[in-house]
Amino acid sequence: MRNDSPWSYDPWGTTEPAETADAAEATPEEEARGSLLHGLGERFRRLPRPRLPERTEPKKTTSGKKRGVTAVVLGAALLSSGATAGATYGLVSQVSQPAASPQATASAVQPSVVSLNITSPQGKSTGSGVVVDEGGRILTNHHVVEKAGGGPVTVTFNDGKKAQARVVEQDPGRDLAVVQAEGVRDLQPAKLAYGSELEVGQQVIAVGSPLGLPGTVTSGIVSAMHRSVPTGKGAGLGDAIQTDAAINPGNSGGPLVNMDGEVIGINTAVASGKNGSEAAGLGFTVPIDQARPLVDGPVR
């Protein structure tokens, strides 16, 4: 039986379909149909032929070349794994060592913060200080202890114990001083952030005894750096840290602390308006680097 379908052969082939034995006995209708099919075949042959990829046998490689290919693939895998591992390790590091919360920071710092009580002819006053060595050296503001006039200063520690102290170092220009508590030992000194690079916006806490309330913690950020702050009578602070952590009378001499629990400065002053009222959220701190000569000085 003849197969007259135009799709019965490969139109992209180079040979005609084989003629059958009864082709010579074709009727006029069959001849006409064959002529039509032949015309279609011619048209198909004139169409552009697609370029098919040549079939090539895979080349045989030596064992050395196989090792080379494996090394490249392994290297890519290692690079991918290294990039992923690097990101993973970074995330793990950040998760395992998160920035401490204000609660954790305050808990770590409070044992090193003290209240200072001064009795003078002008009356009683209260300030704050921070323990800088186990033997009882305490860093504070000069204006906190100057009213003592060389008289005794009473130190109240975080655990409620008290001791008498004397002024051993003073730097009125930077409004800093060091007092030495008597008869104490094994105190917990604070960590001092010498040479730390502060950034505006980083979180900080202030610890002290505002209005005579010991162990008070307030939080905020570093609002600005390198402030020049006049404090009256021709005096002033140079290169001060500005913070919006709440600072009130009695906070003077207490520490401003970063989230690593390191003292970055000594809280000293607050801004005041023309009528003498204190401006909210405008506190100023002496950078801890300015206190280094006093802190590292000899015990007297």
Side-chain angles (χ1 to χ4, degrees), residues 217-228:
V217 177
T218 57
S219 67
I221 62 171
V222 173
S223 302
M225 301 289 296
H226 313 299
R227 293 298 198 201
S228 295

Side-chain angles (χ1 to χ4, degrees), residues 78-128:
L78 286 174
L79 287 173
S80 176
S81 175
T84 303
T88 301
Y89 293 152
L91 291 174
V92 169
S93 174
Q94 291 174 9
V95 171
S96 62
Q97 297 180 2
S101 66
Q103 297 94 318
T105 302
S107 179
V109 174
Q110 280 180 316
S112 303
V113 181
V114 303
S115 296
L116 300 178
N117 298 284
I118 295 93
T119 301
S120 68
Q122 291 79 26
K124 295 181 179 181
S125 60
T126 301
S128 304

Side-chain angles (χ1 to χ4, degrees), residues 9 74 81 104 118 129-130 156 166 170 174-175 179-180 190 197 208 215-217 224 255 260 262 266 268 278 291:
Y9 61 94
L74 181 59
S81 175
I118 295 93
V130 57
T156 303
R166 56 190 174 89
Q170 296 186 71
R174 292 186 173 91
D175 199 359
V179 300
Q180 174 69 55
E197 295 183 3
T216 298
V217 177
D260 291 325
E262 300 170 330
I266 300 300
T268 303
E278 294 174 359

